[in-house]
Amino acid sequence: MLPGAVRERALSAAPPAYVYDLAGLGAHAAAIREAVPAELYYAAKANPDARILAALAPHVDGVEVSSGGELAHVRAALPGARLAFGGPGKTEEELAAAFAGPAPVHRIHVESPLELRRLAALRREADVLLRVNLPVAAAGASLRMSGPFGMDAEALGRCLDLLAEAPWLRLRGMHAHLASGLEAEPLLEVAAHVLGWARSWLEGPAEINLGGGMAVDYRDPARRFDWAAYGAGLAALRRPGEVLRVEPGRAVTAYCGWYVTDVLDVKRTHGTSYAVLRGGTHHLRTPAAKGHDQPFTVLPAGDGDGVGGPVTLVGQLCTPKDVLARDVTVERIAVGDVVAFAMAGAYAWNISHHDFLMHPKPSVHYVGPD
Ligand SMILES: *Cc1c(COP(=O)(O)O)cnc(C)c1O
């Protein structure tokens, strides 16, 4: 489960640290692209680390950015990459930035009629997708992107009226990111629904961006989203002349990152065994945000006090929410041991509240090709 090069670096790096396996990431992304008969964009918000973006670049058709900050960052990290610019509440400055680079962004995903008006007011040529918000059942989804995201049929109709008056904006098709945390089969059901709807709405074959949201199972790092089944399903759904695009984030980069730290204290309080680790959820917020136990491997390195059996791994923050894994059975964990938390490559460091309590920040290490 822990690649040799990652284990080696985990044991040699001063804790706390993030270790990214760039070779594994490249191979994973290449396999996704091979399996899926659609353009593959990477959703940068999952992990915008510049080395990760560079490792992904040969294996993706483009990058989806969701803010002016991500737009500037990805342009600097990957000059010339094809970009799709999405995200709610784009300001006039952010929309203008879409045209300020060496090349305009490839697609702008429009979230509302007012946003389209703001874009039209810039009087620049642009290729747009309208983001739709369709009610879907999406059984099993961890997060439904309903609410403010995208537009219903009434708002889309207003967009068509606006586009008729702004011929410098080219309507290329639809964008839909309706749910996340879905396995291949339910995600294909959502895709069929979106495609049926988009085809009835658009004239002629067009481009449909089906979003991301492919499931990642934090209970079992070895169980991966079934890209082959998803790809076969998309191939069956696609019609000649249509351009399909997907923009996953989590399922691309989750597996390439480890948060590595060491055990500072082991104690028993009111019947519960705790291992207190250097760092905590201010470095790896994912288990607190998603409410799961972050999978981990204990690398024996210490000769201090230890415990076995169910143990709760906590960090150094002064809050009971600083729990990385709860009541997980271990053979033994001891003061000085190194703990490598897996699946820390997406929505991990970059969503964490680093400055809370002012502990030192983790160093970042890369293994794999330079
Ligand atoms: C977050 C997001 C994605 C990526 O979602 P994952 O669950 O990380 O695959 C794709 N598209 C849009 C519009 C998003 O907001």
Side-chain angles (χ1 to χ4, degrees), residues 43 45-46 64 66 87 131 145 175 177 180-181 211-214 247-251 347:
K45 80 170 187 284
E64 189 259 355
S66 286
R131 180 168 182 183
M145 308 301 286
H175 171 261
H177 172 72
S180 71
M214 291 71 181
E247 49 180 25
R250 190 185 301 272
Y347 304 102

Side-chain angles (χ1 to χ4, degrees), residues 35-39 184 187-192 195 199 208 210-211 214 225 227-239 242 244-246:
V36 178
E39 290 184 8
L187 203 59
L188 283 167
E189 279 169 32
V190 173
L195 288 171
R199 285 169 189 147
I208 298 119
L210 295 164
M214 291 71 181
F225 181 81
W227 290 102
Y230 183 68
L234 278 193
L237 286 172
R238 187 173 60 176
R239 291 205 184 145
E242 271 176 1
L244 301 187
R245 189 175 299 133
V246 293

Side-chain angles (χ1 to χ4, degrees), residues 309-321:
V311 63
T312 293
L313 277 58
V314 301
Q316 293 173 289
L317 299 183
C318 307
T319 159
K321 293 183 177 171

Side-chain angles (χ1 to χ4, degrees), residues 341-369:
F341 288 94
M343 303 178 79
Y347 304 102
W349 167 248
N350 66 311
I351 65 156
S352 302
H353 41 298
H354 314 150
D355 291 324
F356 187 40
L357 263 84
M358 304 177 77
H359 287 294
K361 298 194 164 114
S363 53
V364 185
H365 307 259
Y366 304 89
V367 299

Side-chain angles (χ1 to χ4, degrees), residues 297-344:
T297 305
V298 178
L299 304 174
D303 50 10
D305 294 352
V307 287
V311 63
T312 293
L313 277 58
V314 301
Q316 293 173 289
L317 299 183
C318 307
T319 159
K321 293 183 177 171
D322 191 23
V323 176
L324 293 153
R326 193 183 296 281
D327 283 332
V328 176
T329 298
V330 298
E331 206 168 294
R332 183 180 147 83
I333 187 166
V335 171
D337 281 353
V338 172
V339 182
F341 288 94
M343 303 178 79

Side-chain angles (χ1 to χ4, degrees), residues 110-180:
V110 175
E111 290 268 348
S112 76
L114 177 56
E115 187 172 287
L116 187 61
R117 269 216 299 281
R118 286 191 181 128
L119 179 62
L122 297 173
R123 298 207 152 248
R124 300 288 300 259
E125 285 190 28
D127 296 291
V128 302
L129 301 184
L130 300 178
R131 180 168 182 183
V132 300
N133 181 331
L134 300 178
V136 286
S142 64
L143 203 62
R144 272 190 227 179
M145 308 301 286
S146 52
F149 302 106
M151 294 176 273
D152 61 15
E154 193 269 333
L156 290 168
R158 279 195 280 146
C159 285
L160 284 192
D161 296 342
L162 287 164
L163 285 165
E165 291 163 19
W168 52 95
L169 297 181
R170 291 177 290 265
L171 176 62
R172 293 287 191 169
M174 293 287 174
H175 171 261
H177 172 72
L178 297 177
S180 71

Side-chain angles (χ1 to χ4, degrees), residues 179-263:
S180 71
L182 290 185
E183 298 293 347
E185 206 179 302
L187 203 59
L188 283 167
E189 279 169 32
V190 173
H193 183 60
V194 167
L195 288 171
W197 193 88
R199 285 169 189 147
S200 71
W201 210 81
L202 295 160
E203 287 164 20
E207 216 174 274
I208 298 119
N209 184 323
L210 295 164
M214 291 71 181
V216 163
D217 187 351
Y218 286 91
R219 290 163 307 182
D220 184 0
R223 198 174 146 259
R224 304 289 170 95
F225 181 81
D226 191 345
W227 290 102
Y230 183 68
L234 278 193
L237 286 172
R238 187 173 60 176
R239 291 205 184 145
E242 271 176 1
V243 174
L244 301 187
R245 189 175 299 133
V246 293
E247 49 180 25
R250 190 185 301 272
V252 177
T253 46
Y255 305 99
C256 79
W258 282 263
Y259 174 55
V260 178
T261 187
D262 63 345
V263 181

